[in-house]
Amino acid sequence: MSEQIEHVECLIIGSGPAGYTAAIYAARADMKPVMYEGLQPGGQLTITTEVENYPGFPNGVEGPEMMTMFKEQAVRLGADVRFGLATAVDFSIRPFKVIVDESKEISAETVIIATGASAKWLGIPSEDKFKSNGGGVSACAVCDGFFYRQKEVAIVGGGDTACEEASYLAKICSKVHMIVRKDHFRASKAMQHRVETTPNIEIHYETVTDEILGDTTVEGARIKNVNTGETITLPVQGFFVAIGHTPNTWIFKDYIDLDEQGYIKTIPGTSKTNVEGVFACGDAQDKVYRQAITAAGTGCMAALDAERFLAAQHSAVMS
Ligand code: NDP
């Protein structure tokens, strides 16, 4: 801990629609917010394609472009947006202590947690082997689909993300195999209809991944029917995983109440956590809606709650 401790009124941990919206509101309230963007500046929308359902963009907008605009707005209004990852916290007393990149210490009057959620993996050894060496396993079709132009690929999952990514891949790749473990999708009817009616998407229901095959790069995937145990090998060169997300909340677990899946518990109708002065917004506390617009809304709530908390503290000191 070589550097001097920096004191801030409002520290925002994590970017994405929730964090940037919190930064916009906190900056306009003159709270001089400092934001650390985390490992994936801009959050999950930076790895998506077109966003069609965010109000105000009648023709849709690319996710990364939208996040650039969010950031520009926050910076223009005075937010101090920095690259860095919060690696430890101490919320036992206020001002709160937050360590960034294991080296810099911040002392914060209020903290807004906007750390989002990260992709889940299947957890089989062959997945690990190929994802760590860039050998053909990915959790982001938009980032890596390009490498499989006119090739055959597989994608695991039956949710909206898997359907969205399968549709995206179908435009680039010669064929897309969807591996769905149940006999039905979890995705919305509209997304389901889209994949079912795309000619180069083949859906394998009640099927799980037995093994991803290959030496240094993916050369196939062996999939197994959960009822019969029968296996077949798909001749794929790319293998995508789209099976949901885990909230990025583990550094807070000693202080902040989390639910059984690790999502931050907030007082209903607010962004308040069990620690006064610490607020949570976005996907880190929302496993139900998980939309950019709802994340932005809760980011706004967090900044307003933080502003009111600080105002109450100041008036208590004055009286
Ligand atoms: P979901 O949790 O909705 O779906 C995960 C899918 O992966 C399910 O089909 C699940 O199967 C399957 N799955 C989970 N674990 C495994 C495993 N180990 N092996 C095989 N399959 C597995 O996650 P999504 O990321 O799809 O969506 C998250 C949220 O974001 C949802 O609320 C969704 O509606 C929303 N979303 C909205 C979009 C939009 O509106 N444009 C786009 C993308 C996401 P099972 O059903 O059997 O549990």
Side-chain angles (χ1 to χ4, degrees):
M1 245 26 89
S2 52
E3 296 173 67
Q4 253 192 328
I5 298 171
E6 181 182 358
H7 187 79
V8 303
E9 258 185 82
C10 177
L11 181 70
I12 300 169
I13 305 176
S15 44
Y20 289 134
T21 304
I24 288 165
Y25 274 77
R28 293 191 80 240
D30 204 23
M31 291 159 72
K32 301 175 183 58
V34 170
M35 169 195 276
Y36 280 94
E37 290 183 297
L39 278 182
Q40 190 177 50
Q44 291 179 66
L45 276 178
T46 58
I47 55 167
T48 191
T49 42
E50 194 178 0
V51 178
E52 285 185 327
N53 51 10
Y54 200 92
F57 296 94
N59 301 315
V61 58
E62 294 294 313
E65 187 189 348
M66 184 162 92
M67 283 305 93
T68 302
M69 289 192 277
F70 270 56
K71 180 174 175 176
E72 280 173 6
Q73 190 173 354
V75 169
R76 181 178 70 78
L77 291 167
D80 182 349
V81 179
R82 304 174 183 175
F83 189 70
L85 179 71
T87 47
V89 299
D90 182 349
F91 291 160
S92 57
I93 47 164
R94 210 166 49 83
F96 307 115
K97 185 162 125 180
V98 177
I99 307 297
V100 176
D101 293 334
E102 291 174 356
S103 58
K104 181 175 172 63
E105 182 174 334
I106 306 266
S107 156
E109 291 299 329
T110 59
V111 173
I112 294 177
I113 300 172
T115 45
S118 298
K120 280 187 191 162
W121 295 96
L122 295 173
I124 55 176
S126 48
E127 170 193 63
D128 222 31
K129 173 174 132 188
F130 294 118
K131 83 173 201 256
S132 52
N133 68 353
V137 170
S138 164
C140 177
V142 177
C143 318
D144 300 322
F146 177 80
F147 301 118
Y148 307 99
R149 193 169 282 270
Q150 294 312 320
K151 291 180 181 163
E152 209 160 319
V153 297
I155 181 160
V156 185
D160 281 323
T161 304
C163 291
E164 198 172 76
E165 300 213 331
S167 302
Y168 176 80
L169 289 167
K171 292 183 196 138
I172 304 172
C173 306
S174 57
K175 180 159 185 177
V176 180
H177 297 270
M178 285 196 83
I179 305 168
V180 181
R181 67 181 176 181
K182 288 195 178 137
D183 64 355
H184 58 272
F185 278 96
R186 189 189 287 198
S188 60
K189 288 277 176 271
M191 294 300 283
Q192 189 178 325
H193 180 71
R194 192 189 293 181
V195 294
E196 282 170 345
T197 54
T198 302
N200 64 336
I201 296 180
E202 184 178 350
I203 303 163
H204 303 267
Y205 288 106
E206 297 184 288
T207 299
V208 293
T209 310
D210 199 33
E211 201 67 80
I212 305 164
L213 309 168
D215 187 10
T216 52
T217 58
V218 173
E219 290 164 17
R222 194 170 60 233
I223 59 171
K224 186 168 79 179
N225 183 287
V226 293
N227 298 315
T228 63
E230 186 194 343
T231 60
I232 56 167
T233 297
L234 306 173
V236 296
Q237 287 164 282
F239 188 91
F240 292 86
V241 180
I243 59 169
H245 293 83
T246 307
N248 300 318
T249 54
W250 65 272
I251 61 165
F252 310 113
K253 69 178 176 5
D254 292 340
Y255 304 96
I256 299 291
D257 288 346
L258 308 177
D259 72 8
E260 63 289 346
Q261 290 159 272
Y263 288 89
I264 294 172
K265 288 185 183 174
T266 50
I267 296 172
T270 78
S271 67
K272 295 174 187 172
T273 70
N274 58 301
V275 177
E276 276 191 36
V278 178
F279 306 89
C281 51
D283 286 10
Q285 54 84 55
D286 173 21
K287 61 183 173 194
V288 179
Y289 301 104
R290 296 188 278 201
Q291 300 299 300
I293 186 72
T294 49
T298 55
C300 160
M301 288 164 65
L304 293 178
D305 286 340
E307 182 192 358
R308 287 167 194 168
F309 172 81
L310 283 175
Q313 296 294 314
H314 290 157
S315 53
V317 169
M318 302 297 277
S319 58

